[in-house]
Amino acid sequence: MRKRPSEFIIELCIRLSGFLVIAFVFLIFLFLLKDALSLFASHSVGSFLFGKNWLPVSDPASFGIMPLFLGSLYVTIAAIAISVPLGVGTAMFIAEVAPKSIKGVLKSLVEILAAIPSVVLGFIGIIWLGPFMRNTFHLSTGMCGLTGSLLLAFMALPTIISMSEDALVGVPRSYREAATGLGATRWQTLWRIILPAASSGIIAAVMLGIGRVIGETMVVMMVTGNAPVMPTSILQPLRTLTATIAGEMGETVRGSEHYFALFAVGLILFIITFIINIFAELCAHRNRK
Amino acid sequence: MTTLLLADRIRTMKNTYTWMAFLLILTAFFAGCGRVADSNDTQGTIQIKGSDTLVNAAQKVSEEFMKTNPGVFVSVTGGGSGVGVASLINKSCDIASASREMMPKEIEQANKQGVFPKEIPVAHDGVALIVNKNNPIDKLSIQDLHNIFTGKAKSWKEFGGKDIAIVTLSREVSSGTYAHFKEEVVNLGDSNSNLEFSPQTLLLSSSQAIVEEVANNEAAIGYMGMGYLSDRTKTVEVAKKDEFYLPDIEAVNNGKYPLARLLYFYTNGEPKGAVKQFIDFALSPAGQQQFAETGFVPLGVAGAEKTQ
């Protein structure tokens, strides 16, 4: 059958936009790579990846991203440890337990949670959560990793909840019916049947949550204190990869070593989120089969 | 990440109306982008970018300026002196405000891009040191500050205060105040010194964040331009050797306050047209009055031109 011209045009547009997105990602990667690699003309890859000092404006400058990488890692792990149980629990409640009337309200509330601008959360962190953490844990300052993690957990929650909920709802009805038929209680069905069946979708949700947390900038810049020190505890001020780029990009002279170093940090971040996204995609894919 | 979330949401948009609304918003968004890009070329628009220290003052000057020159629109943004200088070099602003002098490296970079920065001092400023109101300390010498900010002094006890660990607060490296403070206090004015802020120092992204932390934390000490002083924190008297001064107009004026400095506007070459009008206004008594009202020291009254 011959295609109608309008159909042909629409198909072409869709195909073009698809290719455009791929092209953009590829171009961004090339752009990052080009400027990042310039750094390695003067600094070795080893000293960049494993260096323990980030002193970008000193003479001679040293660009070791280990403290920044560990900072990002600490904050992310803590944020995920907080948000995953909370998020998956909420998703289970919305999907399986809550009565219809509450379900709708909860879902829209979760959506609203996603709409809170990160700078507002950061402000709450400075004004309220920071002092609260200092008094609770008797710290020298409330501007520490855990303060950032708490706020980031809050930001990752909507992603984790809505995606996990989708995965739980997507479990075939026949599973439920079979379990009930075998005499399983509601809790047994949920815990032993539905949750494992939805696990790959939930893992994908968690991965995307991690991606959201590791790439978040404003909140961590505002509340984690940004001290570029090798972190030993989550209750200590620390500096993340993203906050470093955001905080320092303004100062750099274009084409300087510092400028290239920030691009190299960007490249590392890009690679990390890329890997996480691939994992998420793989998990989500396995679910659909 | 957002794109994926968005994609999720789009998938749930079931009816065509939602789709249409979405497309409409998208179109409006891109149309909006186009307009913003155009306005850069319009004559009678002045972009001022740079120092966070100067941003309030520059805003006030520009508001006053726009009252008398309704045909000119002035927009002021902060971000740090480095941001301002970088945008001057990239030609994305007309005036760069800076709380430090441009570095030779930057001038060289500017010349390479065909930009020839002209330096115009606009006001005097003192870098103020603030501590929590419950902190008994009220005097510190430059040497004390050096010990505190390099991490040699660990506890307030060493200066006669309580036995609690000192929390040092600094601005991000894009701040001109950071550069000035590093040179005068951390390096004690020695340009060959390679001493650093202690790595435990918290780098905060705005002067307001520093005020907030100091107001809440008994152990904290921070610095910022005197325009940001408020009664929520205690200002420390500072001495080069043994004469202690508060960063007030008089001490900055007569050059006795040790951490005084000049604040600058930079333009690409000699200012012309609307930019020249604006700079002339900023340097006029009416313009200088605005700097005074935002907590800085006007140029005219400062007897000591080289307070550094």
Side-chain angles (χ1 to χ4, degrees):
Chain A
M1 202 175 91
R2 219 162 54 86
K3 277 182 195 164
R4 270 184 290 172
S6 64
E7 216 171 289
F8 178 75
I9 291 169
I10 289 172
E11 204 184 291
L12 193 78
C13 286
I14 292 173
R15 184 168 301 177
L16 201 70
S17 54
F19 281 130
L20 260 182
V21 171
I22 299 171
F24 282 149
V25 173
F26 192 66
L27 285 176
I28 289 171
F29 180 71
L30 279 186
F31 176 71
L32 274 177
L33 198 67
K34 178 184 129 275
D35 277 343
L37 288 183
S38 311
L39 174 75
F40 300 122
S42 50
H43 292 256
S44 75
V45 180
S47 73
F48 175 71
L49 288 179
F50 302 108
K52 287 181 183 158
N53 292 307
W54 179 263
L55 300 168
V57 286
S58 310
D59 204 22
S62 54
F63 301 108
I65 63 162
M66 212 57 201
L68 314 178
F69 180 74
L70 286 178
S72 278
L73 197 70
Y74 274 48
V75 170
T76 305
I77 290 175
I80 287 303
I82 297 163
S83 61
V84 167
L86 218 60
V88 175
T90 313
M92 278 160 67
F93 179 71
I94 294 178
E96 300 292 329
V97 184
K100 268 226 169 76
S101 52
I102 299 182
K103 207 179 266 194
V105 178
L106 270 180
K107 280 190 85 164
S108 42
L109 281 180
V110 168
E111 295 277 309
I112 291 173
L113 203 63
I116 299 175
S118 56
V119 66
V120 173
L121 285 178
F123 200 60
I124 293 172
I126 291 180
I127 303 288
W128 179 78
L129 190 60
F132 173 78
M133 296 295 282
R134 181 166 45 82
N135 295 330
T136 314
F137 293 97
H138 303 288
L139 305 171
S140 58
T141 171
M143 304 243 172
C144 67
L146 192 58
T147 313
S149 299
L150 282 171
L151 291 172
L152 287 176
F154 204 67
M155 297 189 67
L157 273 178
T159 314
I160 296 179
I161 294 174
S162 50
M163 283 196 63
S164 303
E165 198 238 356
D166 280 353
L168 289 167
V169 170
V171 174
R173 210 181 144 73
S174 54
Y175 283 36
R176 249 164 281 224
E177 284 163 353
T180 321
L182 288 170
T185 62
R186 200 173 178 189
W187 168 249
Q188 282 170 331
T189 314
L190 177 54
W191 189 249
R192 302 221 188 127
I193 308 293
I194 297 178
L195 203 60
S199 64
S200 50
I202 291 173
I203 292 172
V206 171
M207 284 309 215
L208 285 179
I210 294 178
R212 177 113 172 78
V213 166
I214 214 165
E216 171 52 38
T217 310
M218 202 61 214
V219 162
V220 287
M221 189 156 91
M222 286 171 85
V223 303
T224 57
N226 298 328
V229 63
M230 289 291 278
T232 51
S233 148
I234 187 78
L235 292 171
Q236 199 187 328
L238 42 79
R239 189 179 182 89
T240 64
L241 294 165
T242 46
T244 306
I245 301 180
E248 295 175 7
M249 200 37 122
E251 199 269 347
T252 58
V253 179
R254 258 185 112 145
S256 66
E257 272 181 6
H258 187 189
Y259 179 85
F260 292 139
L262 292 180
F263 270 95
V265 172
L267 184 70
I268 299 289
L269 262 176
F270 184 88
I271 292 170
I272 294 172
T273 41
F274 191 70
I275 293 171
I276 291 169
N277 270 328
I278 285 178
F279 264 109
E281 203 51 46
L282 283 178
C283 292
H285 211 71
R286 213 178 51 190
N287 190 31
R288 268 176 227 131
K289 273 184 197 164
Chain B
M1 291 310 99
T2 2
T3 47
L4 270 158
L5 260 182
L6 201 63
D8 246 8
R9 224 165 281 159
I10 292 167
R11 220 183 298 147
T12 58
M13 290 184 184
K14 289 209 180 80
N15 63 49
T16 352
Y17 291 110
T18 331
W19 261 109
M20 279 167 69
F22 177 71
L23 284 177
L24 259 174
I25 292 167
L26 209 69
T27 329
F29 175 72
F30 281 115
C33 285
R35 262 207 309 282
V36 172
D38 285 344
S39 72
N40 276 344
D41 310 324
T42 325
Q43 277 193 339
T45 306
I46 305 175
Q47 289 271 357
I48 305 177
K49 222 178 245 183
S51 169
D52 277 335
T53 309
L54 264 170
V55 71
N56 288 342
Q59 186 66 47
K60 198 139 192 306
V61 173
S62 64
E63 275 165 20
E64 210 56 38
F65 176 74
M66 282 187 280
K67 272 184 207 160
T68 45
N69 299 270
V72 186
F73 182 76
V74 188
S75 80
V76 182
T77 32
S81 304
V83 176
V85 171
S87 12
L88 188 73
I89 296 174
N90 297 337
K91 296 177 189 160
S92 56
C93 72
D94 303 300
I95 301 173
S97 57
S99 54
R100 58 165 169 82
E101 282 172 45
M102 258 176 98
M103 289 183 278
K105 202 168 61 177
E106 288 170 333
I107 293 174
E108 187 188 316
Q109 187 77 27
N111 293 347
K112 237 186 264 171
Q113 306 272 343
V115 173
F116 298 92
K118 160 116 174 100
E119 180 179 293
I120 303 147
V122 287
H124 287 275
D125 181 28
V127 178
L129 268 297
I130 53 168
V131 293
N132 188 274
K133 284 196 151 174
N134 294 330
N135 191 330
I137 307 286
D138 42 29
K139 285 177 182 177
L140 289 166
S141 72
I142 294 284
Q143 185 64 44
D144 293 339
L145 290 172
H146 171 83
N147 291 345
I148 289 173
F149 277 91
T150 51
K152 283 175 201 157
K154 301 262 183 243
S155 166
W156 283 112
K157 207 175 156 191
E158 295 171 44
F159 306 100
K162 295 175 188 165
D163 189 11
I164 43 177
I166 301 175
V167 175
T168 50
L169 309 177
S170 165
R171 286 290 312 281
E172 279 285 353
V173 294
S174 60
S175 155
T177 319
Y178 170 96
H180 182 75
F181 195 81
K182 183 170 184 236
E183 189 182 321
E184 294 297 319
V185 175
V186 175
N187 296 341
L188 291 171
D190 175 6
S191 57
N192 293 323
S193 159
N194 53 9
L195 285 168
E196 291 294 334
F197 276 95
S198 125
Q200 268 80 29
T201 302
L202 273 60
L203 305 181
L204 302 187
S205 49
S206 70
S207 300
Q208 199 52 47
I210 291 184
V211 175
E212 222 39 73
E213 178 68 2
V214 170
N216 285 317
N217 189 341
E218 214 178 309
I221 178 166
Y223 64 83
M224 68 218 182
M226 57 192 270
Y228 279 91
L229 286 178
S230 69
D231 51 10
R232 297 179 55 210
T233 56
K234 183 160 82 176
T235 312
V236 181
E237 290 180 34
V238 181
K240 191 125 213 162
K241 289 212 168 59
D242 40 35
E243 284 177 82
F244 290 89
Y245 293 98
L246 277 173
D248 53 23
I249 291 184
E250 199 192 329
V252 172
N253 240 341
N254 55 28
K256 286 191 171 153
Y257 187 71
L259 291 171
R261 59 177 173 169
L262 278 166
L263 303 172
Y264 305 93
F265 278 168
Y266 282 93
T267 56
N268 179 8
E270 282 294 331
K272 286 186 283 286
V275 177
K276 180 171 166 37
Q277 258 180 311
F278 179 79
I279 299 271
D280 287 346
F281 175 77
L283 297 176
S284 72
Q288 289 290 307
Q289 175 64 28
Q290 310 307 317
F291 284 104
E293 279 174 24
T294 40
F296 296 102
V297 180
L299 278 183
V301 284
E305 281 299 307
K306 21 182 225 299
T307 43
Q308 323 217 3

